Amino acid sequence: MKRVLLAIGILFVLAVGLGPWAYRTLFAPGEPLALPAFDYRTTDSWAALPAEVPAPVWKDGWAVDVILIAPDAGLAPRSEAELASQTTRAGAQAKRMAESLAAVGPVYAPLFRRDSEQTDLSTAFQQYVDTHNRGRAFVIATDHTLTAEAFAGLKADDTLRERFGGFLRLTRDIGSDDPFPAIDGAASLKDYCPDQYSELSDCQPIVRIGRQDGMMIVAQDSPVGGDNLSGLTSWLEANVAKTAEPLGSLEEVEIIDIRRPGDTDENRATDKD
């Protein structure tokens, strides 16, 4: 009996002494890690990229890319272990969505810091335009409303807007309310969408998604984007000039002084004298 009481006493002391530490370690959320900015020139800053580089518009004609703001791609870890877990989850989720959206085109899904979403998405989009796009058409798929500044580069560039196919609003059937606007402030969509979309709804069709094996996938039988997206490349072929292949890098050529026989520096110096 004394041994039992002694054991109980020891456990009580340990509970009092180690209880606060255990709570902080196991249950308290803690502060999110201060993640460095992503470098979207590197592949590990993307949750999904095409397995092969798609052909540019000047080679194989019009085709469509998908810029995916994927579920679980926004990171807010509180430990290194949680960062690794969130990154792995984001990659797996983006690849499943890429399979669902393959009928539209190859998928580019950036990772981003949840507390710096606007900055990161703007930087990722500019890197896509500078490096990956190569004159192709594209759409932006998102499961939540984006800030107006995240894709301000699209609004500012008419050559991008004319080959932009609109926003795909990834919306769950179960538990969803009225569809969210793709960009914060519905009227501002007119600044992003090309002229062929006369109605705001045309520029942001709904894509129904659902859960399968713990991952989100497209869960509708109808084509993604409807008639607007299925006819995009035909409309572009009839109305938009393709981007020309860029010239190669320029090489500096030294200009050589051409002289007649006997026209040397010494003779020129003598003539001057």
Side-chain angles (χ1 to χ4, degrees):
M1 186 65 180
K2 291 182 179 180
R3 292 180 179 179
V4 173
L5 292 175
L6 179 61
I8 294 173
I10 293 173
L11 291 175
F12 177 78
V13 171
L14 289 175
V16 171
L18 298 179
W21 172 86
Y23 174 80
R24 289 193 302 269
T25 303
L26 301 176
F27 301 104
E31 292 295 327
L33 291 179
L35 298 178
F38 286 102
D39 181 358
Y40 294 103
R41 296 170 297 179
T42 63
T43 57
D44 58 2
S45 291
W46 298 81
L49 286 170
E52 298 180 356
V53 178
V57 69
W58 55 81
K59 182 177 180 181
D60 286 357
W62 289 110
V64 183
D65 292 336
V66 180
I67 300 173
L68 172 63
I69 315 305
D72 299 326
L75 306 183
R78 291 175 170 81
S79 66
E80 292 294 336
E82 192 174 4
L83 173 60
S85 176
Q86 287 186 12
T87 303
T88 299
R89 169 79 182 182
Q93 174 61 86
K95 288 177 175 59
R96 286 297 297 272
M97 287 299 301
E99 293 172 1
S100 293
L101 297 169
V104 178
V107 170
Y108 298 81
L111 295 167
F112 58 90
R113 296 167 296 174
R114 200 178 302 167
D115 60 354
S116 300
E117 176 178 339
Q118 175 180 298
T119 299
D120 288 354
L121 293 184
S122 178
T123 304
F125 177 66
Q126 191 59 52
Q127 183 63 32
Y128 163 77
V129 171
D130 293 343
T131 304
H132 302 286
N133 177 257
R134 302 195 295 170
R136 293 163 61 91
F138 63 97
V139 296
I140 297 171
T142 177
D143 69 340
H144 64 277
T145 299
L146 304 169
T147 66
E149 291 78 9
F151 290 93
L154 172 60
K155 180 173 63 174
D157 190 334
D158 290 339
T159 62
L160 284 177
R161 287 182 65 246
E162 66 183 1
R163 62 180 189 266
F164 177 49
F167 299 92
L168 305 179
R169 290 180 291 175
L170 307 176
T171 305
R172 295 195 66 178
D173 278 323
I174 300 176
S176 62
D177 297 319
D178 293 335
F180 58 88
I183 293 288
D184 188 20
S188 65
L189 276 177
K190 292 184 178 296
D191 296 329
Y192 296 84
C193 297
D195 295 337
Q196 71 264 31
Y197 295 141
S198 57
E199 301 292 335
L200 290 181
S201 59
D202 295 338
C203 185
Q204 49 173 350
I206 296 170
V207 177
R208 295 294 178 184
I209 59 174
R211 190 173 295 278
Q212 182 182 76
D213 301 328
M215 297 287 176
M216 302 307 299
I217 62 168
V218 173
Q220 64 182 42
D221 296 328
S222 56
V224 173
D227 294 338
N228 290 333
L229 194 52
S230 63
L232 176 61
T233 55
S234 298
W235 186 91
L236 291 169
E237 185 67 37
N239 295 278
V240 178
K242 298 182 181 71
T243 303
E245 182 176 4
L247 297 174
S249 59
L250 298 179
E251 180 180 354
E252 184 176 347
V253 178
E254 182 181 358
I255 299 176
I256 301 175
D257 187 13
I258 300 176
R259 302 182 181 184
R260 294 186 178 89
D263 184 7
T264 64
D265 291 339
E266 291 80 2
N267 290 339
R268 287 189 176 188
T270 302
D271 292 341
K272 287 181 181 179
D273 294 340

